[in-house]
Amino acid sequence: LLTNGLKQLIDMLMVMVIHEMDGLLLEKIVPTAVYLPYQREYGAEYDRVFRCRVTNRHNTYSIIFEQRYWDVPILTADYELQELLLQKISQLPQNRKSTDTYRVRIYNYLLANSYLGLASIDDIASNFNMTVRSMQRRLKDENITFQKIADDVRCSLAKHYITSGSYPLKDISHILGYNEISAFTRAFKRWTGKSPTAYYG
């Protein structure tokens, strides 16, 4: 029989698998099902943490994912790219004040966590302990939208990666959340007025 401590450890490791996949696939992964071999006292909380309905199944620990995830390229360990990102993040002010605008705070948060892919407005609002509607109102008061801030972060990172000259466009495109180089190229041209190759040249 499993002790409560061992059950909690296994639960935690299973949740970590889901969150690690977020970083590997650069998107928020939602399992189709999770099976555990015992009844849970806090069922709703388990559903929230595992991002899906958790079901009791005898002698079974399993996480079921959509078949399409097998075909998604995994972002492999690239320490040069990680170092490049850390250099970019190190340029942020070290002593950020609580009086910073939401625009600045969200921009810095997105940039600092961009190795997991850009967070959604739902994730940001949750991190700031506010509703999405409240965050949108705050940003509207600052004459900015979340999408514009996210685009500014993507643009800044894209310029940084491109000018380094170390990474092909397809990798940069994928890192920034674009499935096609053509979509990334259109976005980059909208941001800068130039194509990525012209910007580097």
Side-chain angles (χ1 to χ4, degrees), residues 58-122:
H58 185 63
N59 287 335
T60 301
Y61 280 101
S62 63
I63 307 173
I64 311 299
F65 298 103
E66 292 180 29
Q67 183 68 32
R68 69 180 182 87
Y69 291 130
W70 289 104
D71 300 320
V72 177
I74 290 178
L75 186 63
T76 56
D78 190 327
Y79 297 107
E80 289 182 10
L81 184 59
Q82 184 182 49
E83 182 180 357
L84 197 64
L85 177 59
L86 290 174
Q87 289 172 3
K88 179 69 176 172
I89 293 170
S90 69
Q91 297 170 11
L92 297 176
Q94 295 302 305
N95 297 312
R96 294 191 289 276
K97 302 176 182 177
S98 59
T99 54
D100 280 346
T101 62
Y102 276 94
R103 175 179 188 161
V104 170
R105 292 170 64 191
I106 293 171
Y107 180 95
N108 290 342
Y109 180 90
L110 287 173
L111 186 61
N113 293 277
S114 59
Y115 67 96
L116 289 174
L118 288 195
S120 68
I121 189 170
D122 301 81

Coordinates of all heavy atoms in Angstrom, one line a residue, residues 58-122:
H58 N -8.4 1.5 -11.0 CA -7.6 0.5 -10.2 C -6.2 0.3 -10.8 O -6.0 0.0 -11.9 CB -8.4 -0.8 -10.1 CG -7.7 -1.8 -9.2 ND1 -7.6 -1.6 -7.8 CD2 -7.2 -3.0 -9.4 CE1 -7.0 -2.6 -7.3 NE2 -6.7 -3.5 -8.2
N59 N -5.2 0.4 -9.9 CA -3.8 0.1 -10.2 C -3.3 0.9 -11.5 O -2.4 0.4 -12.2 CB -3.6 -1.4 -10.5 CG -3.7 -2.2 -9.2 OD1 -3.4 -1.7 -8.1 ND2 -4.0 -3.5 -9.3
T60 N -3.8 2.1 -11.7 CA -3.4 2.8 -12.9 C -2.9 4.2 -12.5 O -3.6 5.0 -11.9 CB -4.5 2.9 -13.9 OG1 -4.9 1.6 -14.3 CG2 -4.1 3.7 -15.1
Y61 N -1.7 4.5 -12.9 CA -1.2 5.9 -12.9 C -0.9 6.2 -14.4 O 0.0 5.7 -15.0 CB 0.1 6.0 -12.2 CG 0.0 6.1 -10.7 CD1 0.3 5.0 -9.9 CD2 -0.3 7.3 -10.1 CE1 0.2 5.1 -8.5 CE2 -0.4 7.4 -8.7 CZ -0.1 6.3 -7.9 OH -0.2 6.4 -6.6
S62 N -1.7 7.1 -15.0 CA -1.4 7.5 -16.4 C -2.0 8.9 -16.7 O -2.9 9.3 -16.1 CB -2.0 6.4 -17.3 OG -3.4 6.4 -17.2
I63 N -1.3 9.5 -17.7 CA -1.7 10.7 -18.3 C -1.9 10.5 -19.8 O -1.0 10.0 -20.4 CB -0.6 11.8 -18.1 CG1 -0.2 11.9 -16.6 CG2 -1.1 13.2 -18.6 CD1 1.0 12.9 -16.4
I64 N -3.0 10.8 -20.3 CA -3.4 10.6 -21.7 C -3.3 12.0 -22.4 O -3.9 12.9 -22.0 CB -4.8 10.0 -21.9 CG1 -4.9 8.8 -21.0 CG2 -5.0 9.6 -23.3 CD1 -4.0 7.7 -21.2
F65 N -2.5 12.0 -23.5 CA -2.4 13.2 -24.3 C -2.9 13.0 -25.7 O -3.0 11.8 -26.2 CB -0.9 13.6 -24.4 CG -0.3 14.0 -23.1 CD1 0.6 13.1 -22.5 CD2 -0.5 15.2 -22.5 CE1 1.2 13.4 -21.3 CE2 0.1 15.5 -21.3 CZ 1.0 14.6 -20.7
E66 N -3.2 14.1 -26.4 CA -3.7 14.0 -27.8 C -2.6 13.4 -28.7 O -1.4 13.7 -28.4 CB -4.1 15.4 -28.3 CG -5.3 16.0 -27.7 CD -5.6 17.3 -28.3 OE1 -5.3 17.6 -29.4 OE2 -6.2 18.2 -27.5
Q67 N -3.0 12.7 -29.7 CA -2.0 12.1 -30.6 C -1.1 13.1 -31.3 O 0.0 12.8 -31.6 CB -2.8 11.2 -31.7 CG -1.9 10.5 -32.6 CD -1.1 9.4 -32.0 OE1 -1.6 8.7 -31.0 NE2 0.1 9.1 -32.5
R68 N -1.7 14.3 -31.5 CA -1.0 15.3 -32.3 C 0.4 15.7 -31.6 O 1.3 16.2 -32.3 CB -1.8 16.5 -32.5 CG -2.1 17.4 -31.3 CD -3.0 18.6 -31.6 NE -3.2 19.4 -30.5 CZ -2.4 20.4 -30.1 NH1 -1.3 20.6 -30.7 NH2 -2.7 21.1 -29.0
Y69 N 0.5 15.6 -30.3 CA 1.7 16.0 -29.6 C 2.9 15.2 -30.1 O 4.0 15.6 -29.9 CB 1.5 15.9 -28.1 CG 0.5 16.9 -27.6 CD1 -0.5 16.5 -26.7 CD2 0.6 18.3 -27.9 CE1 -1.4 17.5 -26.2 CE2 -0.2 19.2 -27.4 CZ -1.3 18.8 -26.5 OH -2.1 19.7 -26.1
W70 N 2.7 14.0 -30.6 CA 3.8 13.1 -31.1 C 4.5 13.8 -32.3 O 5.6 13.5 -32.6 CB 3.3 11.7 -31.4 CG 2.9 10.9 -30.3 CD1 1.6 10.6 -29.8 CD2 3.8 10.3 -29.3 NE1 1.7 9.8 -28.7 CE2 3.0 9.6 -28.4 CE3 5.2 10.2 -29.2 CZ2 3.5 8.9 -27.3 CZ3 5.7 9.5 -28.1 CH2 4.9 8.8 -27.2
D71 N 3.7 14.6 -33.0 CA 4.3 15.2 -34.2 C 4.8 16.6 -34.0 O 5.3 17.2 -35.0 CB 3.2 15.3 -35.3 CG 2.6 13.9 -35.6 OD1 3.5 12.9 -35.7 OD2 1.4 13.7 -35.8
V72 N 4.7 17.1 -32.8 CA 5.2 18.5 -32.5 C 6.7 18.4 -32.2 O 7.1 17.6 -31.4 CB 4.4 19.1 -31.3 CG1 5.0 20.5 -31.0 CG2 2.9 19.2 -31.6
P73 N 7.5 19.3 -32.9 CA 8.9 19.2 -32.6 C 9.2 19.7 -31.2 O 8.6 20.6 -30.7 CB 9.5 20.2 -33.6 CG 8.4 21.1 -34.1 CD 7.1 20.2 -33.9
I74 N 10.1 19.0 -30.5 CA 10.5 19.3 -29.1 C 11.7 20.3 -29.2 O 12.6 20.1 -29.9 CB 10.8 18.1 -28.4 CG1 9.6 17.2 -28.1 CG2 11.5 18.4 -27.0 CD1 9.8 15.9 -27.4
L75 N 11.6 21.3 -28.3 CA 12.7 22.2 -28.2 C 13.8 21.6 -27.4 O 13.6 21.4 -26.2 CB 12.2 23.5 -27.5 CG 13.2 24.7 -27.4 CD1 13.5 25.2 -28.8 CD2 12.6 25.8 -26.6
T76 N 14.9 21.2 -28.1 CA 15.9 20.5 -27.4 C 16.8 21.5 -26.6 O 16.7 22.7 -26.8 CB 16.8 19.8 -28.4 OG1 17.3 20.7 -29.3 CG2 16.1 18.7 -29.1
A77 N 17.6 21.0 -25.7 CA 18.5 21.8 -24.9 C 19.4 22.6 -25.8 O 20.2 22.0 -26.6 CB 19.2 21.0 -23.9
D78 N 19.5 23.9 -25.7 CA 20.4 24.7 -26.5 C 20.9 25.7 -25.6 O 20.3 26.8 -25.3 CB 19.6 25.3 -27.7 CG 20.5 26.0 -28.7 OD1 21.6 26.5 -28.2 OD2 20.3 26.0 -29.9
Y79 N 22.1 25.5 -25.0 CA 22.6 26.3 -24.0 C 23.1 27.7 -24.6 O 23.1 28.7 -23.8 CB 23.8 25.6 -23.3 CG 23.2 24.4 -22.6 CD1 23.5 23.1 -23.0 CD2 22.4 24.5 -21.5 CE1 23.0 22.0 -22.4 CE2 21.9 23.4 -20.8 CZ 22.2 22.1 -21.3 OH 21.7 21.0 -20.7
E80 N 23.5 27.7 -25.8 CA 23.8 29.0 -26.4 C 22.6 29.9 -26.5 O 22.7 31.1 -26.2 CB 24.4 28.8 -27.8 CG 25.8 28.2 -27.9 CD 26.3 28.1 -29.3 OE1 25.7 28.6 -30.2 OE2 27.4 27.4 -29.5
L81 N 21.5 29.3 -26.9 CA 20.2 30.1 -27.0 C 19.8 30.5 -25.6 O 19.3 31.7 -25.4 CB 19.1 29.2 -27.6 CG 17.8 29.9 -27.9 CD1 18.0 31.2 -28.8 CD2 16.8 29.0 -28.5
Q82 N 19.9 29.6 -24.6 CA 19.6 30.0 -23.3 C 20.4 31.2 -22.8 O 20.0 32.1 -22.1 CB 19.8 28.8 -22.3 CG 19.3 29.0 -20.9 CD 19.6 27.8 -20.0 OE1 20.7 27.3 -20.1 NE2 18.6 27.4 -19.3
E83 N 21.7 31.1 -23.1 CA 22.6 32.2 -22.7 C 22.2 33.5 -23.3 O 22.3 34.6 -22.7 CB 24.1 31.8 -23.0 CG 25.1 32.9 -22.6 CD 26.5 32.5 -22.9 OE1 26.7 31.4 -23.5 OE2 27.4 33.3 -22.7
L84 N 21.8 33.4 -24.6 CA 21.4 34.6 -25.3 C 20.2 35.2 -24.6 O 20.1 36.4 -24.5 CB 21.1 34.2 -26.8 CG 21.0 35.4 -27.8 CD1 22.4 36.1 -27.9 CD2 20.6 34.8 -29.1
L85 N 19.2 34.4 -24.3 CA 18.0 34.9 -23.6 C 18.4 35.5 -22.3 O 17.8 36.5 -21.9 CB 17.0 33.7 -23.4 CG 15.7 34.1 -22.7 CD1 15.0 35.2 -23.4 CD2 14.8 32.8 -22.6
L86 N 19.3 34.8 -21.5 CA 19.6 35.3 -20.2 C 20.3 36.7 -20.3 O 20.1 37.6 -19.5 CB 20.6 34.3 -19.5 CG 19.9 33.0 -19.0 CD1 20.9 32.1 -18.5 CD2 18.8 33.3 -18.0
Q87 N 21.1 36.9 -21.4 CA 21.7 38.2 -21.6 C 20.7 39.2 -21.8 O 20.8 40.4 -21.3 CB 22.7 38.1 -22.8 CG 23.9 37.3 -22.6 CD 24.7 37.1 -23.8 OE1 24.4 37.6 -24.9 NE2 25.8 36.4 -23.7
K88 N 19.6 38.9 -22.6 CA 18.6 39.8 -22.9 C 17.8 40.2 -21.6 O 17.5 41.3 -21.3 CB 17.6 39.2 -23.9 CG 16.4 40.0 -24.3 CD 16.8 41.2 -25.1 CE 15.6 42.0 -25.5 NZ 16.0 43.3 -26.1
I89 N 17.5 39.1 -20.8 CA 16.8 39.4 -19.5 C 17.6 40.2 -18.6 O 17.1 41.0 -17.8 CB 16.4 38.0 -18.9 CG1 15.4 37.3 -19.8 CG2 15.9 38.2 -17.5 CD1 15.1 35.9 -19.3
S90 N 19.0 40.0 -18.6 CA 19.8 40.8 -17.6 C 19.8 42.3 -17.9 O 20.2 43.1 -17.1 CB 21.3 40.2 -17.7 OG 21.8 40.6 -19.0
Q91 N 19.3 42.7 -19.1 CA 19.2 44.1 -19.4 C 18.0 44.8 -18.7 O 17.9 46.0 -18.6 CB 19.1 44.3 -20.9 CG 20.3 43.8 -21.7 CD 20.0 43.8 -23.2 OE1 19.0 44.3 -23.7 NE2 20.9 43.1 -23.9
L92 N 17.1 43.9 -18.1 CA 16.0 44.5 -17.4 C 16.5 45.2 -16.1 O 17.5 44.8 -15.5 CB 15.0 43.4 -17.0 CG 14.3 42.7 -18.2 CD1 13.5 41.6 -17.6 CD2 13.5 43.6 -19.0
P93 N 15.8 46.3 -15.7 CA 16.2 46.9 -14.4 C 16.1 45.9 -13.3 O 15.2 45.2 -13.2 CB 15.1 48.0 -14.3 CG 14.6 48.2 -15.6 CD 14.7 46.9 -16.4
Q94 N 17.2 45.9 -12.4 CA 17.2 44.9 -11.4 C 16.3 45.3 -10.2 O 15.8 44.4 -9.5 CB 18.7 44.8 -10.8 CG 19.6 44.3 -11.9 CD 19.2 42.9 -12.4 OE1 19.0 42.0 -11.6 NE2 19.0 42.7 -13.7
N95 N 16.0 46.5 -10.0 CA 15.2 47.0 -8.9 C 13.9 47.5 -9.4 O 13.7 48.7 -9.3 CB 15.9 48.0 -8.0 CG 17.2 47.4 -7.4 OD1 17.1 46.3 -6.8 ND2 18.3 48.1 -7.5
R96 N 13.1 46.7 -10.0 CA 11.8 47.2 -10.5 C 10.9 47.6 -9.4 O 10.8 46.9 -8.3 CB 11.1 46.1 -11.4 CG 12.0 45.8 -12.6 CD 11.2 44.9 -13.5 NE 11.0 43.6 -13.1 CZ 11.9 42.6 -13.2 NH1 13.0 42.9 -13.8 NH2 11.7 41.4 -12.7
K97 N 10.2 48.7 -9.5 CA 9.4 49.2 -8.5 C 8.0 48.8 -8.6 O 7.5 48.5 -9.7 CB 9.4 50.8 -8.5 CG 10.8 51.3 -8.4 CD 10.8 52.9 -8.6 CE 12.2 53.5 -8.5 NZ 12.2 54.9 -8.7
S98 N 7.3 48.7 -7.5 CA 5.9 48.3 -7.5 C 5.0 49.4 -8.2 O 3.9 49.1 -8.6 CB 5.3 48.1 -6.1 OG 5.5 49.3 -5.4
T99 N 5.6 50.6 -8.4 CA 4.9 51.6 -9.1 C 5.0 51.6 -10.6 O 4.5 52.4 -11.3 CB 5.4 53.0 -8.6 OG1 6.8 53.1 -8.8 CG2 5.1 53.3 -7.2
D100 N 5.8 50.6 -11.1 CA 5.9 50.4 -12.6 C 4.5 50.2 -13.2 O 3.6 49.6 -12.5 CB 6.7 49.2 -12.9 CG 8.2 49.4 -12.8 OD1 8.6 50.6 -12.7 OD2 9.0 48.4 -12.8
T101 N 4.3 50.7 -14.4 CA 3.0 50.5 -15.0 C 2.8 49.1 -15.3 O 3.7 48.3 -15.3 CB 3.0 51.3 -16.4 OG1 4.0 50.7 -17.2 CG2 3.3 52.8 -16.2
Y102 N 1.5 48.7 -15.5 CA 1.2 47.3 -15.9 C 1.9 46.9 -17.2 O 2.3 45.8 -17.4 CB -0.3 47.1 -15.9 CG -0.9 46.8 -14.6 CD1 -1.4 47.9 -13.8 CD2 -0.9 45.6 -14.0 CE1 -1.9 47.6 -12.5 CE2 -1.3 45.3 -12.7 CZ -1.9 46.3 -12.0 OH -2.4 46.1 -10.7
R103 N 2.0 47.9 -18.1 CA 2.6 47.6 -19.4 C 4.1 47.2 -19.1 O 4.5 46.2 -19.7 CB 2.7 48.9 -20.2 CG 3.4 48.8 -21.5 CD 3.4 50.1 -22.3 NE 4.0 49.9 -23.6 CZ 3.8 50.7 -24.6 NH1 3.0 51.8 -24.5 NH2 4.3 50.5 -25.8
V104 N 4.8 47.8 -18.3 CA 6.2 47.5 -18.0 C 6.3 46.2 -17.2 O 7.1 45.3 -17.6 CB 6.9 48.6 -17.1 CG1 8.2 48.1 -16.6 CG2 7.0 49.9 -18.0
R105 N 5.4 46.0 -16.3 CA 5.4 44.7 -15.5 C 5.1 43.5 -16.3 O 5.7 42.5 -16.2 CB 4.5 44.9 -14.3 CG 4.9 45.9 -13.3 CD 3.8 46.2 -12.2 NE 3.5 45.0 -11.4 CZ 2.5 44.9 -10.6 NH1 1.6 45.9 -10.5 NH2 2.2 43.8 -10.0
I106 N 4.1 43.6 -17.2 CA 3.7 42.5 -18.0 C 4.8 42.2 -19.1 O 5.2 41.1 -19.3 CB 2.4 42.8 -18.7 CG1 1.3 42.8 -17.7 CG2 2.1 41.8 -19.8 CD1 -0.1 43.3 -18.2
Y107 N 5.4 43.3 -19.6 CA 6.5 43.1 -20.6 C 7.6 42.4 -20.0 O 8.1 41.4 -20.5 CB 6.9 44.5 -21.1 CG 8.1 44.5 -22.1 CD1 7.8 44.5 -23.5 CD2 9.4 44.4 -21.7 CE1 8.8 44.4 -24.4 CE2 10.4 44.3 -22.6 CZ 10.1 44.4 -24.0 OH 11.2 44.3 -24.9
N108 N 8.0 42.8 -18.8 CA 9.2 42.2 -18.1 C 8.9 40.7 -17.7 O 9.7 39.8 -17.9 CB 9.5 43.0 -16.9 CG 10.2 44.3 -17.2 OD1 10.6 44.5 -18.3 ND2 10.2 45.2 -16.2
Y109 N 7.6 40.5 -17.3 CA 7.2 39.1 -17.0 C 7.3 38.2 -18.2 O 7.8 37.1 -18.2 CB 5.8 39.1 -16.3 CG 5.4 37.7 -15.9 CD1 5.7 37.2 -14.7 CD2 4.7 36.9 -16.8 CE1 5.3 35.9 -14.3 CE2 4.3 35.6 -16.5 CZ 4.6 35.1 -15.2 OH 4.2 33.8 -14.9
L110 N 6.7 38.7 -19.3 CA 6.7 37.9 -20.5 C 8.1 37.6 -21.0 O 8.4 36.5 -21.4 CB 5.9 38.6 -21.6 CG 4.4 38.7 -21.5 CD1 3.8 39.6 -22.6 CD2 3.8 37.3 -21.6
L111 N 9.0 38.6 -21.0 CA 10.3 38.4 -21.4 C 11.1 37.4 -20.5 O 11.8 36.5 -21.0 CB 11.1 39.8 -21.4 CG 12.5 39.8 -22.0 CD1 12.5 39.3 -23.5 CD2 13.1 41.2 -21.9
A112 N 11.0 37.6 -19.2 CA 11.7 36.7 -18.3 C 11.2 35.3 -18.3 O 12.0 34.4 -18.0 CB 11.5 37.3 -16.8
N113 N 10.0 35.0 -18.8 CA 9.5 33.7 -18.8 C 9.3 33.2 -20.2 O 8.6 32.1 -20.5 CB 8.1 33.6 -18.1 CG 8.3 33.8 -16.6 OD1 8.6 32.9 -15.8 ND2 8.1 35.0 -16.1
S114 N 9.9 33.8 -21.2 CA 9.7 33.5 -22.6 C 10.3 32.1 -23.0 O 10.0 31.6 -24.1 CB 10.2 34.6 -23.5 OG 11.6 34.8 -23.3
Y115 N 11.2 31.6 -22.2 CA 11.7 30.3 -22.5 C 10.6 29.2 -22.4 O 10.8 28.1 -22.9 CB 12.9 29.9 -21.5 CG 12.4 29.7 -20.1 CD1 12.2 28.5 -19.6 CD2 12.3 30.8 -19.2 CE1 11.8 28.3 -18.3 CE2 11.9 30.7 -17.9 CZ 11.6 29.4 -17.5 OH 11.2 29.2 -16.2
L116 N 9.5 29.5 -21.8 CA 8.4 28.6 -21.8 C 7.3 28.9 -22.9 O 6.2 28.4 -22.9 CB 7.7 28.6 -20.4 CG 8.5 28.0 -19.3 CD1 7.8 28.2 -18.0 CD2 8.7 26.5 -19.5
G117 N 7.7 29.9 -23.8 CA 6.7 30.4 -24.7 C 5.9 31.5 -24.0 O 5.9 31.6 -22.8
L118 N 5.4 32.4 -24.8 CA 4.7 33.6 -24.2 C 3.4 33.2 -23.5 O 2.6 32.5 -24.1 CB 4.4 34.6 -25.3 CG 5.6 35.4 -25.9 CD1 5.2 36.6 -26.6 CD2 6.6 35.8 -24.8
A119 N 3.3 33.6 -22.3 CA 2.2 33.3 -21.5 C 0.9 34.0 -22.1 O 1.0 35.1 -22.7 CB 2.4 33.8 -20.0
S120 N -0.2 33.4 -21.8 CA -1.5 34.0 -22.3 C -1.9 35.1 -21.3 O -1.4 35.2 -20.1 CB -2.6 33.0 -22.4 OG -2.9 32.5 -21.0
I121 N -2.9 35.9 -21.6 CA -3.4 36.9 -20.7 C -4.1 36.3 -19.5 O -4.0 36.8 -18.4 CB -4.4 37.9 -21.5 CG1 -4.7 39.1 -20.6 CG2 -5.6 37.2 -21.9 CD1 -5.5 40.2 -21.3
D122 N -4.6 35.1 -19.7 CA -5.2 34.4 -18.5 C -4.2 34.0 -17.5 O -4.4 34.2 -16.3 CB -5.9 33.1 -19.0 CG -7.0 33.4 -20.0 OD1 -6.7 33.6 -21.2 OD2 -8.2 33.5 -19.6

